[in-house]
Amino acid sequence: MLKPKQQHSNLGLPVVQELSATAKASLQTGIQRFSAQATYSTQVQHDCLAIEEPLQLSLQWFCQRTNQYQQRPLSLTMRTPGNDVALVLGFLQSQNIIESLNDIDDIRFAQGAAAAQVEDYNHLEIQLNRQRQFDWAALERNFASYSSCGLCGASSVKALALNQQPELNMQEEWLAASLIYQLPSLLQEHQPLFKQSGAVHGVGVWADGKFLSVAEDIGRHNALDKALGQLLLESQQAACSVLVLSGRVSFELMQKALIANIPVVVAVGAPSSLALSVAKQFNITLIGFTKDSQFNVYHAPWRISKEGGSQHES
């Protein structure tokens, strides 16, 4: 029988969060830059690269059926180190494994494999609260359903509809069009790693005239999980909120926005057909190709106010 590890989330979570937040996200490397305007390459210069490393997640929960603790590998993702705890929380929420921090007893770095390595900073272990009802078989079915979009998009949207009860705000004309033009550039102001490396995606959640959370990562899904996880850590929630994406919009990103009850998605790039299907199914306002002078509304334009003075206009 698997025994639960010592619970220390009330004291340990801030420590783990701090360690993950201070992880190195970039490195300097030497390059030799060539130019069509020059007859020879310049001298070696310095360039910044975004770090890409694996993050293993392991989940421990109490099985009510067997009356025993279970533990299994949950996920392996390539991510930019930093804010890993927020990433984990956002991922767990998007998979309906947790609803709040109260569903977690502990988050800790796994023990290092080598004697000299006390902790493995690329492996996080999550222990669910004993009272949190969890079904591993159902989780595997959900993973299979959501990943089926490459084979049958309709089945993925149907599975999402069956597994999710959205609580989206349906208020009309609360988001100023004049603000939407600005959101991509406002997001870039909070993307230092992108300015250094040009190799990461950015995500921000905007409400009440400011970004409640902003995250960067080499993976689009990871960046969104970090941003949503930060909202959980800081207990921030706003019914009239906007998800701002630096790139395109896929089904998975819309799924995460829906579970986080975010009613508007604004992207610099284009949405996929399946992203539009999710927007139509759940009445999410979907905006793409957003620039400083125009944007495309693919669904639910009734949340947008053409007049100035919106409560969300900066």
Side-chain angles (χ1 to χ4, degrees):
M1 176 178 176
L2 181 64
K3 299 292 186 181
K5 296 189 179 181
Q6 181 180 1
Q7 297 180 14
H8 54 273
S9 58
N10 290 337
L11 296 177
L13 181 55
V15 175
V16 175
Q17 182 185 353
E18 181 180 356
L19 288 172
S20 71
T22 57
K24 189 176 181 181
S26 64
L27 62 83
Q28 294 288 328
T29 186
I31 63 168
Q32 199 163 7
R33 182 171 286 115
F34 286 73
S35 171
Q37 285 72 43
T39 57
Y40 56 86
S41 63
T42 60
Q43 295 180 342
V44 174
Q45 302 178 27
H46 291 291
D47 195 20
C48 180
L49 300 180
I51 293 178
E52 182 178 20
E53 291 184 352
L55 179 63
Q56 171 72 52
L57 305 183
S58 296
L59 185 68
Q60 183 181 97
W61 74 97
F62 186 80
C63 179
Q64 304 292 339
R65 180 176 58 82
T66 63
N67 202 38
Q68 294 181 350
Y69 278 91
Q70 307 286 335
Q71 180 169 320
R72 295 189 187 182
L74 176 64
S75 175
L76 177 65
T77 184
M78 302 301 295
R79 98 304 188 190
T80 301
N83 298 317
D84 289 330
V85 170
L87 189 161
V88 170
L89 294 176
F91 176 77
L92 294 175
Q93 181 194 50
S94 70
Q95 298 301 326
N96 285 318
I97 296 174
I98 66 169
E99 295 181 357
S100 70
L101 288 180
N102 293 331
D103 294 326
I104 297 177
D105 273 345
D106 196 13
I107 295 180
R108 56 189 169 265
F109 288 112
Q111 185 175 354
Q117 185 183 17
V118 179
E119 293 172 313
D120 183 353
Y121 295 108
N122 285 332
H123 186 181
L124 275 171
E125 298 176 328
I126 307 102
Q127 181 179 309
L128 297 183
N129 186 291
R130 181 168 176 151
Q131 304 307 315
R132 176 63 178 172
Q133 297 296 313
F134 178 71
D135 186 343
W136 180 267
L139 177 67
E140 288 184 319
R141 289 194 297 270
N142 288 344
F143 272 134
S145 297
Y146 294 152
S147 64
S148 70
C149 56
L151 300 174
C152 179
S155 67
S156 291
V157 177
K158 183 178 180 181
L160 183 58
L162 291 173
N163 288 289
Q164 187 61 32
Q165 299 296 324
E167 298 179 0
L168 297 179
N169 184 281
M170 295 297 173
Q171 180 180 337
E172 298 182 6
E173 296 188 355
W174 57 265
L175 178 60
S178 56
L179 170 64
I180 298 174
Y181 300 127
Q182 304 174 51
L183 286 174
S185 58
L186 291 173
L187 178 62
Q188 279 198 3
E189 293 175 5
H190 294 80
Q191 292 185 253
L193 187 54
F194 177 78
K195 293 178 183 178
Q196 294 173 4
S197 68
V200 294
H201 296 276
V203 170
V205 178
W206 179 279
D208 300 324
K210 63 182 179 180
F211 280 112
L212 301 182
S213 66
V214 177
E216 295 182 280
D217 197 278
I218 203 162
R220 294 178 301 123
H221 306 85
N222 294 336
L224 179 49
D225 283 339
K226 287 180 178 181
L228 297 181
Q230 195 62 42
L231 296 181
L232 287 177
L233 282 170
E234 298 176 0
S235 299
Q236 296 195 84
Q237 188 174 9
C240 295
S241 57
V242 183
L243 177 62
V244 187
L245 306 172
S246 65
R248 62 184 179 87
V249 194
S250 64
F251 167 81
E252 293 87 352
L253 301 185
M254 292 294 288
Q255 170 194 336
K256 294 176 186 291
L258 174 67
I259 295 175
N261 293 317
I262 298 177
V264 179
V265 176
V266 173
V268 172
S272 69
S273 61
L274 204 55
L276 177 57
S277 295
V278 175
K280 290 181 176 179
Q281 175 76 33
F282 298 99
N283 253 333
I284 297 175
T285 299
L286 178 57
I287 301 170
F289 287 113
T290 309
K291 302 178 181 179
D292 58 6
S293 59
Q294 68 180 47
F295 55 82
N296 297 342
V297 184
Y298 293 85
H299 185 66
W302 42 265
R303 288 190 177 93
I304 301 172
S305 169
K306 295 181 181 179
E307 304 296 329
S310 164
Q311 60 176 320
H312 282 67
E313 185 174 7
S314 60

